[in-house]
Structure formats: structure tokens, C-alpha cells
């Protein structure tokens, strides 16, 4: 590597007396500038993570700091992986993940494709559409419980108005199997704009001349969509799926406020189960192992996925 | 026919796209408008069925939100002097008296302190780091940058217990400083990556000219680079603020009274009777959403970049 022109200039410039005192070398400045960030990230992210790994091999309970801590080896992991409830939670999580991604990609891509037509007022409409994703998930979860109230809520009223099904005959958050769909709907409402924005970035990255060439070749609009638009936007679509996948795997706030995992265990996502183990049952060692299992799962799935994504990009 | 490029969509398809997207916008904003309108309803109006679209607006929800109230006996109520302020009047009409402020004001203030504190700190540290990454040869630069990015993927629950224990040890649990440091750490990945992008785009020639004029590196940094990066810094700051403003998981797990922000607090707002006071909850949500909505409108030009930070460009 060569020096930057600025480095060379800095050396070539005659040094005023004051500078010899204040002026540090570029290398020193670089370290001073980067060090606080690295230090903070190490102490608030990496150190706790290593601590979690250590705790996961013990029977420690954070609400009993004076009790004797025993090293239990891999027993926490063994219990998690052989517990039928864990697998049930994973299935609930998968249901949530799959459906939210399907809806968000379909709606988000369609919206981006429409918005890319650059109609009048599209700036304003885009800004309005984006608002839900900028809100606090906890507050969103809270006010959707109001909209979902069986006797007084807007959702049941809208269903009765549109379909004639009596509003008091079903409850979105109560027993009856609707709760899973209730959280899928809210997550889709909130996060479709995010997928839309990334798809929009993808569509905007396709150069016009490709369409012009296709036009010269008399390719139909339909064919252009399937052979140009979709394949070229695909890496962006996949990226959106990656982001949403990681986020929804550890989804916590929205669902805690909407259903808290209920009714029964119908919407007990892995992350909510983890919170119960850690901060309600105070099984710290066990929940640390649980956290590590989830963490490894996300990273494993994400890295396999990123490999696939890179293949698509290389095409 | 007017001369336009072959790829330009036809007027008809533009119209159709506009109508469809507009329709989506209307449907998607209904829940939001419903909450805002509920904040101006009276208690009975908020839970009437069928839902009321036309109603007599009142500030009852807002008064309930900011005050604690009690219900005196009818005899005691009759003995009281007439109400002097508009909010006393609203409360008295329902047979209640205001006995003091509620905790919402404090929680909202906590959100402001922690939100702005952590935003300031993540921008300060992030700008320094981004400048160094952009302009100097930092050892292991790419690895460090990736490390910084990867911290954003950490699930809050996986590190919440050790952070809880660590904060307890350091006396940081349930303090503003603790939450500020925590949110700063979470936001640093975003601020370093975004700001590096903005600083990369400022031509190095500006600093070189400044160095020739006898400026030190520090002077060149804050007199030349910082003003050039101002827009980028502002939009990064708003993204950091929105995150810290909205965060719930850490807030609910690590704070209880002193430093609790509004997101864990809003869902716990109850009426005097013990049920959920929906107009008051809606009022809290509305007040809490307001800054975010304003920022979103201000931010619209930078939205795409902030959301896809670095990842798309790579």
C-alpha cells in the first residue's frame, strides 16, 4: 500500500511549532478515533456474549446470586434439544417466519414495482407508506390489541361489515386458532414497507439500456418482467428476506405486547419462551444455553443463505 | 406523439399504479388514524359498538394520561370549590379530582434523555471511527468493519442476562447512563457504516488543501470534513434516535422505575377503575409517534440508504 497524497503532503508541509505539540501522527489519530468504538462494542456485545456461553454450562440462577454455582457440562444443551416444547416453539417460529416473509415479499415487491413507475405524488405516498416501520414495535403491538378487541375493535367490525360474520363470534387474540394469524398480519402491516424499500433500491439499480435493448428485440412487457426485472431484482429481494428472517427469528417486542405467547402456547415463539425462562423462571444457565442455541441457529441458517445469495449475485 | 424514452411507462399504467399504491397507503394508515382519533374520544365513545367515526372531541385522554386521579364521595365532591382550569373541569365532570401528576411525564422525559444521549454519543464516536476508517490505514480494517456490522445481529435476549449482571455490578442497572451506553453500542454499527459512506464521498482534496494551509489533521477534520458531512451526520442521527426511541426489549428487561422509557410504560397505563383506559393509551401512543412521523418526513430522501446501509452496496 502506498501513502495517501494527504500523508505525503502532511510530511512535506513545514511543521509550525504549535503543531509539534498538538499534531499527532496519522497512525495515532486513527487509533484514538477507532479505539472507543471498539472498546464499547467489546464490552457491551462481545464480553456479554462470552459470559453467556460460560453461563450456559452452569446451573446459575440470576435471582439467587449467593447460591453455589455448579458446572453441569452439556446438560442444559441436552435438555433443550430433547425437549418436545422446544421443537413446538420452533414450529411456531417457523410458521411466523414463513408466512410473514411470503406476504411481505409479495406485497412489498408489488408496491415497489408500482412505485417505480414514477407517477405523480409518488414521493408523498412512499413517505406515508413507510411510517408503520418507523414506529415502536411495543406501541404498535399495544394499539393493535385495541384494534383486535372482539367487542369494540375495528378489525372485528370491518370483518362484520364486509362479510356479515358477526363481530362478537370470533376473537383474533383469543382461543380459536386466529392468534397466529393475528401476529402475522401485524408484522406484515409493520414491515412490508421495509421490504418495499429494498426492492425499490433493486429496481432502481436496473439500467434503462437493458429495457431499451429488449424493446429493440420486441420482447413483450411480460417477457421483460420475467427475464429482466425479476432476475435483476432477485439479489435485493433475497437480501430483504435475509434481514426480515434474522429480525423475525428474534422477534420479541411486537408479539410480547400482542399475545405474550398466548392464548395457551399458540404464539409462543422461541424468543418469548426464552424470555420466560430467563426473566420469569430465572433459570439463567438453562436460558443462556437456549440463547446460544438460537444464536447458532440464526447464524447457521443465515450463512447458508448468504452463500446461496452470493451464487445468485454472481450469475 | 411526444418524444419519450421507450422504457417510460404509459400514462394509463402510471395512473393505475398511482391509484393502487394510494389505496394501499389509505388502508395501511387506517390503524394509525384510528389511534389518533381514539386519543380525542371520551371513555364511553372509545369502546362503543359500532365504532364511532363521528364523535365529540375531548382532551380527556390527555388529561388522564398526565395525571393521577381519585374519585371522592358525592358529598365530598359537592364541598369542593368550583374547578379553575380546563383540565380540572374535564376531570370534575366525570366526578373525579386530580390528585397529582402521573408517571408518564417522567417516562417520556427518560425517552428523551436516553434517546438524545445515546444518539449524541453514537454520532460522536461513530464519526471519529468512520473518519479513521475512511481516511487512514487502519490495521485489519475490513475485519474491524465487519466485526462492527456483525454486532447488530446479536439478539438482545442472548446478551441481556450478562448485561443485567454486569450493570448490577457496576451500579449501572436502571440508570440513564447504562441505557445510553447500551443503545450507543447497538447504534454504532449503523452510524459507523453510514457515516463512512458519507465521508468517503467527500473529496480528499479539501483536506489536502487545508493541510497545505498549515491546518493540523484535527483542524482539517473539524473545520473542513465535518461541515461537509453535516447532512449525512444529521440523517444518521435521526436513524439512531428512532432506534433508541422505539427500543423495547432491553428497556423492559433492564429498567424498572428510574430509567424506564415510554415503550414499556405505555401498555401498562390503566384507568382509575383498573381497566385499560384506551383514550389515555391512545394519547400516549400519539404523543410518542409524533416525533417519529415528523422525522420520517424529514428523512425521506435518505431513507433508502439508511435502511440498506452498506449491505446493498457491497
Amino acid at each position: 500500500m502506498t501513502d495517501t497524497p494527504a500523508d505525503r503532503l502532511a510530511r512535506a508541509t513545514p511543521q509550525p511549532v504549535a503543531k509539534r505539540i498538538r499534531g499527532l501522527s496519522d497512525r495515532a489519530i486513527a487509533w484514538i478515533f477507532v479505539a472507543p468504538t471498539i472498546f464499547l462494542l467489546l464490552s457491551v456485545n462481545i464480553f456479554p456474549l462470552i459470559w453467556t456461553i460460560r453461563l450456559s454450562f452452569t446451573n446459575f440462577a440470576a435471582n439467587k446470586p449467593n447460591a453455589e454455582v455448579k458446572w453441569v457440562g452439556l446438560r442444559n444443551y441436552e435438555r433443550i434439544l430433547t425437549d418436545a416444547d422446544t421443537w413446538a416453539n420452533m414450529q411456531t417460529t417457523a410458521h411466523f417466519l414463513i408466512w410473514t416473509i411470503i406476504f411481505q415479499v409479495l406485497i412489498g415487491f408489488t408496491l415497489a414495482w408500482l412505485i417505480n413507475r414514477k407517477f405523480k405524488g409518488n414521493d408523498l405516498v412512499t413517505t406515508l407508506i413507510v411510517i408503520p416501520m418507523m414506529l415502536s414495535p411495543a406501541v404498535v403491538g399495544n394499539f393493535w390489541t385495541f384494534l383486535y378487541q372482539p367487542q369494540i375493535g375495528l378489525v372485528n367490525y370491518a370483518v362484520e361489515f364486509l362479510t356479515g360474520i358477526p363481530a362478537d363470534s370470533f376473537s383474533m387474540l383469543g382461543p380459536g386458532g386466529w392468534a397466529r394469524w393475528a401476529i402475522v398480519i401485524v408484522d406484515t402491516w409493520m414491515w412490508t414497507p421495509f421490504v418495499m424499500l429494498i426492492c425499490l433500491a433493486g429496481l432502481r439499480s436496473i439500467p434503462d439500456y437493458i429495457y431499451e435493448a429488449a424493446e429493440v428485440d420486441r420482447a413483450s412487457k411480460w417477457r421483460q418482467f420475467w427475464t429482466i426485472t425479476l432476475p435483476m431484482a432477485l439479489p435485493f429481494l433475497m437480501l430483504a428476506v435475509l434481514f426480515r428472517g434474522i429480525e423475525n427469528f428474534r422477534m420479541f417486542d411486537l408479539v410480547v405486547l400482542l399475545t405474550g405467547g398466548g392464548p395457551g402456547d399458540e404464539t409462543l415463539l422461541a424468543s418469548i419462551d426464552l424470555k420466560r425462562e430467563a426473566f420469569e423462571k430465572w433459570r439463567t444457565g438453562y436460558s443462556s444455553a437456549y440463547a446460544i442455541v438460537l444464536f447458532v441457529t440464526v447464524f447457521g441458517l443465515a450463512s447458508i443463505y448468504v452463500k446461496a445469495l452470493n451464487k445468485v449475485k454472481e450469475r | 406523439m411526444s418524444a419519450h424514452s421507450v422504457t417510460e411507462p404509459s400514462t394509463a399504467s402510471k395512473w393505475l399504479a398511482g391509484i393502487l399504491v394510494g389505496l394501499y397507503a389509505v388502508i395501511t394508515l387506517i390503524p394509525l388514524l384510528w389511534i389518533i382519533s381514539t386519543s380525542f374520544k371520551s371513555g364511553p365513545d372509545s369502546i362503543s359498538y359500532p365504532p364511532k367515526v363521528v364523535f365529540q372531541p375531548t382532551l380527556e385522554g390527555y388529561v388522564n394520561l398526565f395525571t393521577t386521579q381519585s374519585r371522592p364521595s358525592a358529598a365530598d365532591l359537592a364541598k369542593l370549590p368550583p374547578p379553575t382550569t380546563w383540565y380540572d373541569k374535564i376531570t370534575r365532570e366525570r366526578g373525579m379530582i386530580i390528585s397529582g401528576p402521573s408517571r408518564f411525564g417522567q417516562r417520556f422525559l427518560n425517552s428523551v434523555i436516553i434517546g438524545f444521549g445515546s444518539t449524541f454519543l453514537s454520532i460522536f464516536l461513530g464519526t471519529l471511527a468512520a473518519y479513521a476508517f475512511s481516511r487512514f490505514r487502519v490495521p485489519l480494517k475490513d475485519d474491524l468493519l465487519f466485526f462492527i456490522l456483525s454486532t447488530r445481529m446479536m439478539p438482545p435476549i442472548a446478551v441481556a442476562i450478562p448485561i443485567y449482571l454486569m450493570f448490577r455490578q457496576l451500579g449501572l442497572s436502571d440508570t440513564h447512563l447504562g441505557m445510553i451506553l447500551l443503545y450507543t453500542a447497538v447504534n454504532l454499527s449503523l452510524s459507523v457504516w453510514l457515516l463512512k459512506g458519507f465521508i468517503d464521498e467527500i473529496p480528499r482534496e479539501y483536506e489536502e488543501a487545508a493541510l497545505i494551509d498549515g491546518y493540523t489533521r484535527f483542524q482539517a477534520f473539524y473545520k473542513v470534513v465535518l461541515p461537509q458531512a453535516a447532512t449525512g451526520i444529521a440523517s444518521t442521527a435521526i436513524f439512531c434516535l428512532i432506534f433508541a426511541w422505539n427500543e423495547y426489549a432491553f428497556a423492559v428487561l433492564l429498567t424498572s422505575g428510574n430509567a424506564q422509557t415510554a415503550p414499556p410504560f405505555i401498555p401498562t397505563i390503566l384507568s382509575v377503575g383498573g381497566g385499560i383506559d384506551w383514550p389515555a393509551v391512545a394519547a400516549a401512543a400519539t404523543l410518542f409517534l409524533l416525533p417519529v412521523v415528523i422525522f420520517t418526513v424529514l428523512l425521506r430522501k435518505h431513507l433508502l440508504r439508511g435502511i440498506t446501509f452498506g449491505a446493498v452496496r457491497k
Side-chain angles (χ1 to χ4, degrees), chain A residues 133-146:
Chain A
M133 64 169 279
M134 308 300 268
L135 308 179
S136 170
V139 177
V140 166
N142 182 230
F143 73 59
W144 272 86
T145 59
F146 177 56

Side-chain angles (χ1 to χ4, degrees), chain A residues 38 41-42 46, chain B residues 142-152:
Chain A
I38 301 295
L41 290 177
L42 282 176
I46 303 306
Chain B
D142 289 340
D143 296 316
L144 279 177
L145 276 170
F146 181 75
F147 160 71
I148 291 172
L149 185 65
S150 71
T151 57
R152 197 159 183 94

Side-chain angles (χ1 to χ4, degrees), chain A residues 3-4 26 41 43 48 52 117 134 136 138 142-143 146 151-152 167 189 194 197 211 236 250 257 274 284, chain B residues 7 13 28 35 47 49 137 152-154 157-158 161-162 166 185 204 217 246 248 278 281 292 304 307 312:
Chain A
D3 281 352
T4 63
D26 283 2
L41 290 177
S43 51
T52 304
R117 260 138 232 273
M134 308 300 268
S136 170
N142 182 230
F143 73 59
F146 177 56
Q151 308 293 335
I152 56 172
W189 175 78
F194 176 82
L197 282 178
Y211 289 108
F236 288 82
R250 53 178 224 206
L257 265 303
L274 173 58
T284 310
Chain B
T7 56
S13 92
T28 207
I35 290 305
I47 54 169
Y49 193 90
R137 279 183 298 149
R152 197 159 183 94
M153 298 178 189
M154 203 81 72
I157 310 265
I161 293 165
M166 194 165 89
R204 282 161 179 255
R217 265 281 176 193
N246 289 336
Y248 173 77
W278 287 113
V281 171
V292 179
L304 212 54
I307 276 131
V312 168

